[in-house]
Short mmCIF file of all heavy atoms in Angstrom, two decimals:
data_model
loop_
_atom_site.label_atom_id
_atom_site.label_comp_id
_atom_site.label_asym_id
_atom_site.label_seq_id
_atom_site.Cartn_x
_atom_site.Cartn_y
_atom_site.Cartn_z
N MET A 1 4.21 3.81 -7.74
CA MET A 1 3.78 3.08 -9.01
C MET A 1 2.45 2.28 -8.86
O MET A 1 1.62 2.28 -9.81
CB MET A 1 4.90 2.20 -9.41
CG MET A 1 4.71 1.39 -10.77
SD MET A 1 5.77 0.15 -11.17
CE MET A 1 7.40 0.64 -10.76
N LEU A 2 2.32 1.55 -7.80
CA LEU A 2 1.05 0.84 -7.62
C LEU A 2 -0.13 1.71 -7.49
O LEU A 2 -1.12 1.49 -8.06
CB LEU A 2 1.22 0.02 -6.31
CG LEU A 2 0.00 -0.84 -6.04
CD1 LEU A 2 -0.36 -1.81 -7.10
CD2 LEU A 2 0.27 -1.70 -4.72
N ARG A 3 0.00 2.90 -6.76
CA ARG A 3 -1.10 3.85 -6.79
C ARG A 3 -1.57 4.33 -8.17
O ARG A 3 -2.81 4.59 -8.44
CB ARG A 3 -0.78 4.89 -5.81
CG ARG A 3 -0.78 4.44 -4.36
CD ARG A 3 -0.61 5.51 -3.37
NE ARG A 3 -0.51 4.87 -2.04
CZ ARG A 3 -0.76 5.48 -0.95
NH1 ARG A 3 -1.05 6.70 -0.88
NH2 ARG A 3 -0.51 4.84 0.18
N LEU A 4 -0.58 4.56 -9.00
CA LEU A 4 -0.89 4.99 -10.35
C LEU A 4 -1.60 3.82 -11.07
O LEU A 4 -2.51 3.98 -11.85
CB LEU A 4 0.50 5.39 -11.16
CG LEU A 4 0.94 6.77 -10.65
CD1 LEU A 4 2.35 6.96 -11.32
CD2 LEU A 4 0.04 7.87 -10.96
N LEU A 5 -1.03 2.60 -10.96
CA LEU A 5 -1.60 1.47 -11.72
C LEU A 5 -3.07 1.16 -11.24
O LEU A 5 -3.77 0.63 -12.01
CB LEU A 5 -0.68 0.20 -11.50
CG LEU A 5 0.55 0.19 -12.25
CD1 LEU A 5 1.50 -0.89 -11.76
CD2 LEU A 5 0.34 0.05 -13.73
N LEU A 6 -3.34 1.57 -9.97
CA LEU A 6 -4.67 1.26 -9.46
C LEU A 6 -5.78 1.99 -10.23
O LEU A 6 -6.89 1.74 -10.16
CB LEU A 6 -4.85 1.55 -7.96
CG LEU A 6 -4.12 0.55 -7.10
CD1 LEU A 6 -4.21 0.99 -5.63
CD2 LEU A 6 -4.86 -0.84 -7.14
N HIS A 7 -5.35 3.06 -10.91
CA HIS A 7 -6.29 3.89 -11.66
C HIS A 7 -6.52 3.34 -13.12
O HIS A 7 -7.36 3.83 -13.79
CB HIS A 7 -5.82 5.30 -11.87
CG HIS A 7 -5.82 6.02 -10.48
ND1 HIS A 7 -6.94 6.42 -9.83
CD2 HIS A 7 -4.70 6.44 -9.73
CE1 HIS A 7 -6.56 7.06 -8.70
NE2 HIS A 7 -5.28 6.98 -8.65
N SER A 8 -5.84 2.30 -13.44
CA SER A 8 -5.98 1.63 -14.81
C SER A 8 -7.07 0.59 -14.68
O SER A 8 -7.56 0.29 -13.61
CB SER A 8 -4.62 0.90 -15.05
OG SER A 8 -4.46 -0.24 -14.29
N PRO A 9 -7.60 0.21 -15.86
CA PRO A 9 -8.64 -0.78 -15.81
C PRO A 9 -8.22 -2.11 -15.06
O PRO A 9 -9.14 -2.68 -14.33
CB PRO A 9 -8.92 -1.14 -17.23
CG PRO A 9 -8.42 0.08 -18.00
CD PRO A 9 -7.28 0.60 -17.15
N GLY A 10 -7.07 -2.51 -15.18
CA GLY A 10 -6.67 -3.70 -14.45
C GLY A 10 -6.57 -3.49 -12.96
O GLY A 10 -6.93 -4.39 -12.12
N GLY A 11 -6.23 -2.32 -12.54
CA GLY A 11 -6.15 -1.91 -11.12
C GLY A 11 -7.63 -1.97 -10.59
O GLY A 11 -7.88 -2.48 -9.42
N CYS A 12 -8.60 -1.45 -11.28
CA CYS A 12 -9.96 -1.40 -10.86
C CYS A 12 -10.41 -2.86 -10.77
O CYS A 12 -11.14 -3.30 -9.82
CB CYS A 12 -10.85 -0.67 -11.88
SG CYS A 12 -10.44 1.13 -11.88
N TRP A 13 -10.13 -3.70 -11.68
CA TRP A 13 -10.56 -5.10 -11.67
C TRP A 13 -10.02 -5.84 -10.44
O TRP A 13 -10.66 -6.54 -9.72
CB TRP A 13 -10.06 -5.79 -13.00
CG TRP A 13 -10.58 -7.20 -13.04
CD1 TRP A 13 -11.78 -7.65 -13.31
CD2 TRP A 13 -9.76 -8.37 -12.61
NE1 TRP A 13 -11.85 -8.98 -13.32
CE2 TRP A 13 -10.65 -9.53 -12.79
CE3 TRP A 13 -8.61 -8.52 -12.13
CZ2 TRP A 13 -10.28 -10.80 -12.58
CZ3 TRP A 13 -8.12 -9.85 -11.89
CH2 TRP A 13 -8.92 -10.98 -12.10
N VAL A 14 -8.66 -5.56 -10.19
CA VAL A 14 -8.00 -6.33 -9.07
C VAL A 14 -8.70 -5.90 -7.84
O VAL A 14 -8.95 -6.70 -6.88
CB VAL A 14 -6.50 -6.01 -8.98
CG1 VAL A 14 -5.88 -6.45 -7.71
CG2 VAL A 14 -5.86 -6.74 -10.22
N MET A 15 -9.03 -4.59 -7.59
CA MET A 15 -9.68 -4.07 -6.39
C MET A 15 -10.92 -4.61 -6.22
O MET A 15 -11.49 -4.74 -5.06
CB MET A 15 -9.66 -2.63 -6.36
CG MET A 15 -8.30 -1.96 -6.30
SD MET A 15 -7.45 -2.39 -4.74
CE MET A 15 -8.50 -1.66 -3.47
N GLN A 16 -11.77 -5.05 -7.21
CA GLN A 16 -13.03 -5.60 -7.15
C GLN A 16 -12.98 -7.17 -6.74
O GLN A 16 -14.00 -7.70 -6.34
CB GLN A 16 -13.82 -5.44 -8.39
CG GLN A 16 -14.07 -3.98 -8.64
CD GLN A 16 -14.72 -3.72 -10.05
OE1 GLN A 16 -14.85 -4.76 -10.80
NE2 GLN A 16 -15.10 -2.54 -10.33
N GLN A 17 -11.80 -7.67 -6.91
CA GLN A 17 -11.71 -9.17 -6.60
C GLN A 17 -11.40 -9.37 -5.23
O GLN A 17 -11.21 -8.43 -4.38
CB GLN A 17 -10.62 -9.82 -7.48
CG GLN A 17 -10.72 -9.51 -9.01
CD GLN A 17 -12.00 -10.01 -9.46
OE1 GLN A 17 -12.53 -11.17 -9.29
NE2 GLN A 17 -12.77 -9.16 -10.27
N GLN A 18 -11.22 -10.61 -4.80
CA GLN A 18 -10.90 -10.95 -3.38
C GLN A 18 -9.64 -10.40 -2.87
O GLN A 18 -9.38 -10.17 -1.80
CB GLN A 18 -10.98 -12.46 -3.11
CG GLN A 18 -12.45 -12.94 -3.26
CD GLN A 18 -12.42 -14.46 -3.16
OE1 GLN A 18 -11.42 -15.08 -3.09
NE2 GLN A 18 -13.60 -15.02 -2.98
N GLN A 19 -8.66 -10.19 -3.81
CA GLN A 19 -7.33 -9.71 -3.52
C GLN A 19 -7.31 -8.21 -3.18
O GLN A 19 -6.32 -7.74 -2.64
CB GLN A 19 -6.39 -9.82 -4.62
CG GLN A 19 -6.12 -11.31 -5.02
CD GLN A 19 -7.00 -11.64 -6.31
OE1 GLN A 19 -8.04 -11.21 -6.45
NE2 GLN A 19 -6.55 -12.62 -6.99
N GLY A 20 -8.48 -7.52 -3.32
CA GLY A 20 -8.55 -6.12 -3.18
C GLY A 20 -8.16 -5.77 -1.75
O GLY A 20 -7.43 -4.78 -1.45
N HIS A 21 -8.72 -6.41 -0.70
CA HIS A 21 -8.45 -6.02 0.61
C HIS A 21 -6.98 -6.41 0.99
O HIS A 21 -6.35 -5.70 1.73
CB HIS A 21 -9.36 -6.77 1.62
CG HIS A 21 -9.15 -8.16 1.90
ND1 HIS A 21 -9.51 -9.11 0.97
CD2 HIS A 21 -8.52 -8.85 2.85
CE1 HIS A 21 -9.14 -10.31 1.34
NE2 HIS A 21 -8.54 -10.19 2.59
N LEU A 22 -6.42 -7.42 0.33
CA LEU A 22 -4.99 -7.75 0.61
C LEU A 22 -4.04 -6.67 0.03
O LEU A 22 -3.08 -6.21 0.63
CB LEU A 22 -4.62 -9.07 0.00
CG LEU A 22 -5.32 -10.30 0.50
CD1 LEU A 22 -5.05 -11.54 -0.30
CD2 LEU A 22 -5.02 -10.49 1.95
N LEU A 23 -4.42 -6.10 -1.09
CA LEU A 23 -3.72 -5.08 -1.75
C LEU A 23 -3.69 -3.84 -0.97
O LEU A 23 -2.79 -3.18 -0.62
CB LEU A 23 -4.18 -4.77 -3.10
CG LEU A 23 -3.32 -3.94 -3.98
CD1 LEU A 23 -3.53 -4.30 -5.46
CD2 LEU A 23 -3.80 -2.55 -3.75
N THR A 24 -4.87 -3.54 -0.39
CA THR A 24 -5.17 -2.37 0.41
C THR A 24 -4.32 -2.53 1.79
O THR A 24 -3.70 -1.56 2.19
CB THR A 24 -6.63 -2.15 0.77
OG1 THR A 24 -7.33 -2.05 -0.39
CG2 THR A 24 -6.85 -1.00 1.66
N ASN A 25 -4.34 -3.67 2.31
CA ASN A 25 -3.50 -3.97 3.46
C ASN A 25 -2.04 -3.79 3.28
O ASN A 25 -1.34 -3.23 3.98
CB ASN A 25 -3.73 -5.35 4.11
CG ASN A 25 -5.18 -5.53 4.67
OD1 ASN A 25 -5.79 -4.47 5.02
ND2 ASN A 25 -5.61 -6.66 4.83
N ALA A 26 -1.60 -4.25 2.12
CA ALA A 26 -0.08 -4.15 1.77
C ALA A 26 0.21 -2.68 1.60
O ALA A 26 1.26 -2.25 2.06
CB ALA A 26 0.10 -4.84 0.47
N LEU A 27 -0.60 -1.85 0.90
CA LEU A 27 -0.34 -0.43 0.83
C LEU A 27 -0.25 0.25 2.12
O LEU A 27 0.53 0.97 2.40
CB LEU A 27 -1.35 0.21 -0.14
CG LEU A 27 -1.21 0.04 -1.62
CD1 LEU A 27 -2.37 0.63 -2.37
CD2 LEU A 27 0.00 0.87 -1.96
N ARG A 28 -1.23 -0.04 2.93
CA ARG A 28 -1.41 0.59 4.29
C ARG A 28 -0.08 0.17 5.09
O ARG A 28 0.53 1.10 5.79
CB ARG A 28 -2.61 0.12 5.04
CG ARG A 28 -2.77 0.78 6.35
CD ARG A 28 -4.09 0.44 7.09
NE ARG A 28 -5.14 0.75 6.15
CZ ARG A 28 -6.11 -0.28 5.71
NH1 ARG A 28 -5.89 -1.45 6.07
NH2 ARG A 28 -7.16 0.12 4.93
N GLU A 29 0.25 -1.14 5.12
CA GLU A 29 1.46 -1.54 5.84
C GLU A 29 2.74 -0.77 5.37
O GLU A 29 3.50 -0.44 6.11
CB GLU A 29 1.58 -3.04 5.75
CG GLU A 29 2.79 -3.65 6.65
CD GLU A 29 2.75 -5.16 6.54
OE1 GLU A 29 1.89 -5.70 5.94
OE2 GLU A 29 3.67 -5.60 7.10
N ALA A 30 2.80 -0.81 3.97
CA ALA A 30 4.01 -0.02 3.39
C ALA A 30 4.03 1.42 3.89
O ALA A 30 5.12 1.95 4.26
CB ALA A 30 3.98 -0.26 1.99
N HIS A 31 2.91 2.03 3.79
CA HIS A 31 2.75 3.50 4.14
C HIS A 31 3.19 3.58 5.66
O HIS A 31 3.99 4.50 5.99
CB HIS A 31 1.44 4.01 3.98
CG HIS A 31 1.20 5.41 4.47
ND1 HIS A 31 1.68 6.55 3.81
CD2 HIS A 31 0.59 5.76 5.59
CE1 HIS A 31 1.38 7.54 4.52
NE2 HIS A 31 0.68 7.16 5.65
N ASP A 32 2.66 2.76 6.49
CA ASP A 32 3.04 2.80 7.91
C ASP A 32 4.57 2.57 8.14
O ASP A 32 5.15 3.36 8.97
CB ASP A 32 2.20 1.69 8.68
CG ASP A 32 0.70 2.13 8.84
OD1 ASP A 32 0.36 3.30 8.38
OD2 ASP A 32 -0.11 1.23 9.12
N HIS A 33 5.11 1.62 7.51
CA HIS A 33 6.55 1.41 7.67
C HIS A 33 7.46 2.56 7.21
O HIS A 33 8.41 3.01 7.93
CB HIS A 33 6.93 0.09 6.96
CG HIS A 33 6.76 -1.17 7.78
ND1 HIS A 33 7.45 -1.40 8.98
CD2 HIS A 33 6.04 -2.24 7.64
CE1 HIS A 33 7.09 -2.40 9.51
NE2 HIS A 33 6.18 -3.04 8.68
N VAL A 34 7.06 3.11 6.00
CA VAL A 34 7.89 4.24 5.52
C VAL A 34 7.75 5.44 6.44
O VAL A 34 8.72 6.12 6.77
CB VAL A 34 7.38 4.56 4.15
CG1 VAL A 34 8.08 5.96 3.64
CG2 VAL A 34 7.88 3.42 3.04
N LYS A 35 6.44 5.71 6.94
CA LYS A 35 6.29 6.80 7.80
C LYS A 35 7.06 6.61 9.17
O LYS A 35 7.59 7.51 9.61
CB LYS A 35 4.70 6.87 8.06
CG LYS A 35 4.22 8.14 8.75
CD LYS A 35 2.75 8.20 8.52
CE LYS A 35 2.05 8.51 9.96
NZ LYS A 35 0.64 8.61 9.79
N SER A 36 6.97 5.43 9.75
CA SER A 36 7.66 5.06 10.94
C SER A 36 9.16 5.23 10.67
O SER A 36 9.83 5.78 11.61
CB SER A 36 7.43 3.69 11.29
OG SER A 36 8.20 3.21 12.42
N TYR A 37 9.72 4.72 9.58
CA TYR A 37 11.13 4.91 9.31
C TYR A 37 11.52 6.42 9.15
O TYR A 37 12.52 6.85 9.76
CB TYR A 37 11.55 4.16 7.97
CG TYR A 37 12.95 4.34 7.70
CD1 TYR A 37 13.83 3.63 8.22
CD2 TYR A 37 13.38 5.28 6.76
CE1 TYR A 37 15.22 3.71 8.00
CE2 TYR A 37 14.73 5.33 6.34
CZ TYR A 37 15.63 4.55 7.05
OH TYR A 37 17.00 4.79 6.75
N ASN A 38 10.77 7.19 8.49
CA ASN A 38 11.00 8.55 8.33
C ASN A 38 10.99 9.33 9.66
O ASN A 38 11.59 10.38 9.81
CB ASN A 38 10.12 9.23 7.23
CG ASN A 38 10.54 8.80 5.77
OD1 ASN A 38 11.65 8.37 5.58
ND2 ASN A 38 9.50 8.80 4.91
N ARG A 39 10.21 8.97 10.58
CA ARG A 39 10.07 9.63 11.88
C ARG A 39 10.99 9.08 12.84
O ARG A 39 11.25 9.74 13.89
CB ARG A 39 8.60 9.39 12.39
CG ARG A 39 7.57 10.16 11.68
CD ARG A 39 6.30 9.94 12.48
NE ARG A 39 5.17 10.74 11.74
CZ ARG A 39 3.96 10.58 12.10
NH1 ARG A 39 3.57 9.85 12.96
NH2 ARG A 39 3.01 11.32 11.47
N SER A 40 11.77 8.12 12.60
CA SER A 40 12.67 7.39 13.62
C SER A 40 13.86 8.28 13.64
O SER A 40 14.29 8.99 12.73
CB SER A 40 12.90 6.03 13.23
OG SER A 40 13.63 5.91 11.97
N THR A 41 14.50 8.11 14.78
CA THR A 41 15.87 8.80 14.90
C THR A 41 16.94 8.01 14.28
O THR A 41 16.75 6.83 13.93
CB THR A 41 16.19 8.93 16.47
OG1 THR A 41 16.40 7.65 17.11
CG2 THR A 41 15.09 9.71 17.20
N VAL A 42 18.08 8.57 14.18
CA VAL A 42 19.27 7.84 13.63
C VAL A 42 19.66 6.69 14.49
O VAL A 42 19.95 5.58 14.01
CB VAL A 42 20.47 8.89 13.43
CG1 VAL A 42 21.71 8.20 13.02
CG2 VAL A 42 20.12 9.92 12.54
N PHE A 43 19.58 6.94 15.76
CA PHE A 43 19.86 5.83 16.70
C PHE A 43 18.95 4.62 16.51
O PHE A 43 19.41 3.51 16.42
CB PHE A 43 19.93 6.25 18.20
CG PHE A 43 20.20 5.24 19.09
CD1 PHE A 43 21.53 4.72 19.32
CD2 PHE A 43 19.22 4.60 19.86
CE1 PHE A 43 21.78 3.76 20.16
CE2 PHE A 43 19.61 3.61 20.75
CZ PHE A 43 20.82 3.14 20.90
N ALA A 44 17.60 4.83 16.34
CA ALA A 44 16.78 3.84 16.16
C ALA A 44 16.90 3.10 14.91
O ALA A 44 16.72 1.93 14.77
CB ALA A 44 15.32 4.42 16.25
#
């Protein structure tokens, strides 16, 4: 949902502000956690 919203005028504006790098970091961290979870074993 956030990736879709980033293509809107408001998303472009937010990315140009100081929060842009924080948003990018949050997306990267979420991607890394989901990827790590999906790769983990049932025991892990």
Side-chain angles (χ1 to χ4, degrees):
M1 182 189 317
L2 181 57
R3 288 185 185 197
L4 287 172
L5 285 171
L6 286 174
H7 295 289
S8 69
C12 294
W13 183 83
V14 168
M15 288 303 291
Q16 293 171 357
Q17 304 306 310
Q18 291 178 348
Q19 299 95 332
H21 76 281
L22 296 174
L23 192 150
T24 304
N25 289 345
L27 275 173
R28 187 177 300 117
E29 186 177 355
H31 174 75
D32 290 346
H33 274 295
V34 168
K35 195 165 128 182
S36 169
Y37 178 79
N38 288 333
R39 288 183 177 173
S40 66
T41 63
V42 173
F43 180 74

